[in-house]
């Protein structure tokens, strides 16, 4: 039997990048996966097709998480699918905007906090009726929360908020048997980190890492799988650095 047979997982932002890799990894470990997307319906359908072709169950559901009721709408759809129980939530959907302090506008600032902080907060809140003993919540932090890398102050602040939420959620939900952790990737080659595909971006990335290659989404998915699984049953309230030894 696979490690996650009989479990149901929701991965937000699973149409691309790290979320897609996490969804595929969880499915490969036997979980039924709910593949959330924002705009990428075709991409999400392709993830579902890949999972079902490999013999697991998957559904695609849409919700725009910049909207204030987005997490609530998403949770309603999830509760209808899972009926009583959600075992794994990987709240991965996120946006980044590189800008200096002077360049950062109020609208961009609010959008970053809406998608990266408000959405996971209210998604956890709205899914509490179906989370319970043994459920694992994984949020996405970033190297940027801890270290000044690039012009990312507003984005970094959203990820600092995630590190704080992880501890508060874990402390509050522990008595229900719910674990809450975060993963803090360094630079990962996705649409969000397109600069890692340029020579300058690659040099910058390798220059700050102990391990000398640019991370791929799969490198992060393994950590999500670990935190979701029983192997991490005694791990909660932690942010796990998964960054190839960045800025040591
Ligand atoms: N890449 C990195 O270097 C890096 C480093 C540290 C942390 N992270 C974190 O890892 C997570 C995933 O990043 P990634 O690199 O995989 O990003 P990505 O390739 O840009 O994918 C972002 C995902 O989030 C979804 N999303 C964005 N805005 C949304 C919205 N308003 N409503 C619903 N869904 C929305 C997208 O869905 P659609 O395309 O369907 O709209 C997409 O599936 C993020 O939280 C990010 O902050 C990334």
């Amino acid at each position: 039997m696979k490690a996650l047979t009989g479990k149901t997982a929701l991965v937000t932002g699973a149409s691309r990048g790290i979320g897609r890799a996490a969804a595929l990894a969880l499915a490969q470990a036997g979980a039924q996966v709910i593949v959330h997307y924002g705009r990428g319906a075709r991409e999400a359908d392709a993830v579902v097709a890949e999972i079902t072709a490999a013999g697991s169950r998957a559904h695609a559901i849409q919700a725009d998480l910049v909207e204030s009721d987005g997490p609530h709408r998403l949770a309603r759809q999830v509760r209808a699918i899972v009926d009583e129980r959600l075992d794994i939530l990987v709240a991965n959907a996120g946006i980044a905007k590189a800008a200096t302090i002077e360049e950062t506008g109020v609208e961009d600032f609010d959008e970053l906090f809406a998608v990266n902080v408000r959405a996971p907060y209210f998604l956890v809140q709205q899914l509490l009726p179906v989370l319970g003993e043994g459920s694992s919540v994984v949020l996405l932090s970033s190297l940027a929360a801890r270290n000044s890398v690039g012009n990312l102050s507003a984005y970094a602040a959203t990820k600092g908020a995630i590190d704080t939420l992880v501890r508060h959620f874990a402390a509050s939900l522990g008595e229900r048997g719910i674990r809450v952790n975060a993963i803090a990737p360094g630079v990962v080659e996705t649409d969000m980190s397109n600069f890692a595909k340029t020579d300058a971006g690659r040099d910058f990335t390798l220059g700050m890492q102990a391990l000398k290659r640019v991370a791929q989404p799969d490198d992060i998915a393994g950590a999500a799988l670990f935190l979701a699984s029983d192997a991490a049953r005694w791990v909660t309230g932690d942010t796990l650095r998964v960054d190839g030894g960045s800025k040591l």
Side-chain angles (χ1 to χ4, degrees):
M1 203 163 78
K2 296 176 178 174
L4 300 182
T5 298
K7 308 272 187 199
T8 302
L10 164 65
V11 182
T12 70
S15 48
R16 297 185 275 129
I18 294 168
R20 175 181 183 278
L24 294 174
L26 293 169
Q28 208 171 26
Q32 167 185 207
V33 182
I34 302 171
V35 174
H36 160 264
Y37 67 95
R39 296 188 184 149
R42 220 156 16 104
E43 291 85 348
D45 285 344
V47 176
V48 168
E50 195 169 335
I51 291 173
T52 48
S56 290
R57 284 199 294 160
H59 313 256
I61 57 177
Q62 193 277 341
D64 187 350
L65 296 177
V66 81
E67 303 292 338
S68 56
D69 67 344
H72 304 70
R73 288 194 304 106
L74 173 54
R76 273 200 295 279
Q77 295 180 73
V78 171
R79 293 200 306 259
I81 293 171
V82 302
D83 196 16
E84 284 191 347
R85 182 176 169 82
L86 182 69
D87 303 285
I88 298 156
L89 163 62
V90 183
N92 158 84
I95 52 172
K97 282 177 193 174
T100 63
I101 297 170
E102 290 87 344
E103 285 164 356
T104 299
V106 170
E107 241 174 65
D108 283 347
F109 187 95
D110 285 350
E111 201 173 314
L112 283 163
F113 272 82
V115 177
N116 295 359
V117 184
R118 187 177 68 196
Y121 187 100
F122 286 100
L123 188 57
V124 170
Q125 180 200 72
Q126 294 298 307
L127 286 171
L128 282 178
V130 290
L131 295 169
E133 183 65 42
S135 293
S136 171
V137 174
V138 180
L139 308 180
L140 262 291
S141 177
S142 169
L143 166 70
R146 209 179 60 250
N147 294 93
S148 169
V149 281
N151 286 318
L152 291 169
S153 57
Y155 169 79
T158 68
K159 297 304 184 177
I162 290 297
D163 289 349
T164 299
L165 280 182
V166 156
R167 293 193 291 274
H168 285 264
F169 280 171
S172 297
L173 301 178
E175 64 188 358
R176 302 187 203 188
I178 303 169
R179 294 184 297 106
V180 185
N181 294 288
I183 296 169
V187 174
V188 185
E189 196 175 305
T190 66
D191 295 341
M192 182 179 282
S193 285
N194 261 329
F195 79 99
K197 293 169 190 156
T198 66
D199 285 346
R202 191 181 148 77
D203 288 349
F204 173 82
T205 302
L206 300 191
M208 70 174 174
Q209 287 179 189
L211 300 178
K212 301 298 180 191
R213 69 173 172 79
V214 177
Q216 300 301 309
D218 268 351
D219 295 316
I220 313 304
L225 185 55
F226 164 67
L227 289 173
S229 75
D230 190 55
R233 63 188 169 276
W234 204 236
V235 183
T236 195
D238 200 19
T239 295
L240 180 61
R241 291 174 41 204
V242 188
D243 60 11
S246 292
K247 293 270 184 186
L248 292 178

